Amino acid sequence: MDFPPWVQRAIQARLEEVTARIEHEPELSRVRGETDEAFEVLFAGKQMEQTPEYAEWESRYIVSEGIENERLHTQGLRDGIQLTVSLLGQSMLAEKGQESDQR
């Protein structure tokens, strides 16, 4: 099922809004800061993949990406539920209006 262009634009705008809000969360900012620090230490070594610093950076990077993805997923679920409830509510109101018109 293809959504009309206006729905696609609304969904894209919401995704951009939520992404921007999540990127400014204190917890994610802290984790990203730690990730950046670990990445800087990473380049001090010559064989990066074999250093504990690389493992530290990789772990922090995975955690920061996980937090961001979790927040995006959770907000997407909330938005989907709100959209569904709204559409169902409008549908029910329209059905009640049609029943009233037929009487």
Side-chain angles (χ1 to χ4, degrees):
M1 169 176 147
D2 289 336
F3 290 111
W6 68 269
V7 171
Q8 292 175 2
R9 287 190 301 273
I11 291 170
Q12 183 64 40
R14 179 63 176 162
L15 177 61
E16 290 169 4
E17 173 190 330
V18 170
T19 300
R21 188 178 74 229
I22 288 171
E23 287 187 6
H24 291 93
E25 285 186 0
E27 180 185 6
L28 187 57
S29 294
R30 179 187 57 77
V31 170
R32 282 198 173 145
E34 292 171 354
T35 302
D36 291 345
E37 287 175 22
F39 190 76
E40 289 173 14
V41 171
L42 171 68
F43 281 111
K46 293 183 180 179
Q47 294 182 349
M48 296 184 298
E49 294 83 6
Q50 298 174 2
T51 65
E53 292 86 5
Y54 180 82
E56 178 70 18
W57 171 80
E58 186 177 40
S59 293
R60 292 180 184 277
Y61 178 78
I62 290 168
V63 168
S64 68
E65 290 295 305
I67 290 170
E68 185 174 357
N69 289 336
E70 179 183 329
R71 299 276 163 68
L72 287 168
H73 178 74
T74 301
Q75 188 61 54
L77 286 173
R78 287 185 186 133
D79 289 352
I81 290 168
Q82 288 177 340
L83 179 61
T84 301
V85 168
S86 177
L87 292 173
L88 288 174
Q90 290 178 4
S91 175
M92 293 172 79
L93 287 173
E95 286 178 14
K96 284 183 182 180
Q98 289 175 355
E99 287 175 7
S100 298
D101 292 344
Q102 292 176 354
R103 292 182 184 172

